[in-house]
Amino acid sequence: MADTLQVEVAYAEPKRQKIIRIIANEGITAEQAASRSGIVRFFPGLDLTDAEYGIFSQPCEPDTVLRDGDRVEIYRPLIADPKEMRRQRANR
């Protein structure tokens, strides 16, 4: 039997967030953990195949193999470039 590990999958929208803990076999990837967590049940518009991922705020590839205790974060696309927003505020 393969060794298991415990990881969390997190996703947030402006007004709500969800963190789901799962137990998985060693060798699971960030994208596989997100899929297995069932987080799309809570966020039906979430597309895991096109999502950006991170582990504890560090960007990672969807095929990154996880370690015990990792928190996979699913990132939403930015609606505005932060640098451009700062530039516009400074001009005002």
Side-chain angles (χ1 to χ4, degrees):
M1 184 173 151
D3 289 332
T4 60
L5 47 94
Q6 189 174 67
V7 298
E8 294 178 333
V9 177
Y11 181 72
E13 290 183 339
K15 295 188 179 196
R16 64 188 178 126
Q17 68 178 12
K18 188 77 174 167
I19 298 175
I20 300 173
R21 216 175 253 137
I22 65 167
I23 296 174
N25 291 332
E26 281 187 340
I28 192 168
T29 66
E31 186 175 29
Q32 290 170 337
S35 178
R36 187 168 303 163
S37 74
I39 202 155
V40 294
R41 290 187 320 242
F42 301 97
F43 303 95
L46 178 60
D47 180 7
L48 296 177
T49 60
D50 196 33
E52 297 287 325
Y53 295 92
I55 299 173
F56 290 117
S57 301
Q58 298 299 313
C60 72
E61 295 298 319
D63 62 353
T64 300
V65 176
L66 303 177
R67 297 182 303 201
D68 189 42
D70 279 348
R71 181 184 65 227
V72 176
E73 299 159 344
I74 305 166
Y75 302 132
R76 292 179 289 123
L78 294 176
I79 56 174
D81 178 21
K83 289 181 183 179
E84 181 60 30
M85 296 304 293
R86 283 192 295 275
R87 192 174 299 116
Q88 289 177 10
R89 281 194 303 271
N91 288 337
R92 279 187 252 148

